[in-house]
Amino acid sequence: DSGVTQTPKHLITATGQRVTLRCSPRSGDLSVYWYQQSLDQGLQFLIQYYNGEERAKGNILERFSAQQFPDLHSELNLSSLELGDSALYFCASSVTDRGDIQYFGAGTRLSVL
Amino acid sequence: QQQVKQSPQSLIVQKGGISIINCAYENTAFDYFPWYQQFPGKGPALLIAIRPDVSEKKEGRFTISFNKSAKQFSLHIMDSQPGDSATYFCAASKGGSYIPTFGRGTSLIVHP
């Protein structure tokens, strides 16, 4: 167990809808990272937060947004969902903003029908 | 543009054999090269990592070989075991942020 908790494990929704994925980092970790894993694109970095502030941005669509709260948990919001958004979404955390050692959660599997 | 190319896509090895997975990168600014192991239903887990100032790093049965001039690095799993059956991802990142760019993954099956 990595200590990173993601909820829900599975999410089934329809096109055009909006969903929120939640991540609780390991105790003491200040950085949270979001990744998307799909058959088409592989494993891709979306966005990083460090102690509540956005630190780095990757291939994140404008329809997607994230935030990190004062208790350090993070949420990834996906809106106007399309079929192609179906993927595994992983959250990872690290102690500092230096992400050389990241601990991944078990992921949320999103199915857009 | 795929910045980190990984091969093979899948690999079948007999128990006790050597598993070899190769990666090549393009961006010479990359200076941190981790390998991740992912079991079904789990997230990736950091297995071993290397920086370009060394050509080899060994941890137990796992060894990374690094060739800076060729911009290539590889993972060797010695005495492969059925419990090693998983998907392996190589990655590369720049120092500072350490945000990884992943290869496409290699599905390893070790037959008993």
Side-chain angles (χ1 to χ4, degrees):
Chain A
D1 184 6
S2 67
V4 178
T5 303
Q6 287 188 249
T7 56
K9 285 187 171 29
H10 303 277
L11 201 48
I12 302 174
T13 189
T15 54
Q17 295 299 304
R18 172 189 169 94
V19 296
T20 298
L21 312 184
R22 181 187 170 101
C23 170
S24 294
R26 290 188 329 147
S27 177
D29 284 1
L30 298 179
S31 251
V32 169
Y33 310 77
W34 286 97
Y35 295 87
Q36 181 193 59
Q37 186 175 38
S38 66
L39 287 175
D40 286 347
Q41 301 294 329
L43 191 54
Q44 286 197 106
F45 166 71
L46 296 178
I47 197 164
Q48 175 198 5
Y49 277 82
Y50 173 70
N51 205 20
E53 301 281 331
E54 182 184 304
R55 183 55 63 100
K57 218 166 186 176
N59 298 323
I60 187 166
L61 300 172
E62 284 191 12
R63 300 184 285 109
F64 295 2
S65 65
Q67 54 184 326
Q68 186 179 28
F69 295 87
D71 68 352
L72 300 176
H73 90 271
S74 178
E75 292 180 356
L76 178 67
N77 300 296
L78 315 176
S79 62
S80 302
L81 285 168
E82 302 174 0
L83 295 177
D85 298 327
S86 296
L88 265 168
Y89 291 85
F90 288 105
C91 167
S93 71
S94 63
V95 176
T96 68
D97 58 342
R98 183 181 143 143
D100 54 339
I101 300 176
Q102 297 181 29
Y103 297 88
F104 281 75
T108 292
R109 182 173 293 281
L110 174 65
S111 298
V112 182
L113 306 179
Chain B
Q1 183 185 8
Q2 194 178 347
Q3 293 197 57
V4 179
K5 294 182 180 179
Q6 183 172 347
S7 64
Q9 193 172 354
S10 61
L11 182 60
I12 299 175
V13 172
Q14 291 297 121
K15 178 181 174 182
I18 303 174
S19 304
I20 302 174
I21 305 170
N22 301 299
C23 285
Y25 63 97
E26 298 171 2
N27 190 339
T28 55
F30 288 144
D31 60 2
Y32 180 70
F33 303 89
W35 285 87
Y36 286 84
Q37 180 187 56
Q38 184 179 23
F39 292 105
K42 304 287 187 184
L46 180 64
L47 187 63
I48 185 173
I50 196 168
R51 299 181 193 275
D53 52 343
V54 296
S55 60
E56 187 174 281
K57 182 173 181 180
K58 184 175 180 178
E59 287 185 4
R61 297 184 293 108
F62 300 89
T63 300
I64 301 178
S65 297
F66 185 81
N67 185 328
K68 189 174 181 178
S69 61
K71 293 187 287 185
Q72 295 175 347
F73 57 111
S74 59
L75 177 70
H76 291 62
I77 306 174
M78 312 300 288
D79 186 26
S80 298
Q81 299 296 313
D84 297 330
S85 298
T87 300
Y88 292 81
F89 293 91
C90 64
S93 63
K94 302 175 194 174
S97 71
Y98 293 95
I99 302 298
T101 298
F102 288 94
R104 296 305 297 267
T106 296
S107 175
L108 171 66
I109 296 174
V110 181
H111 283 310

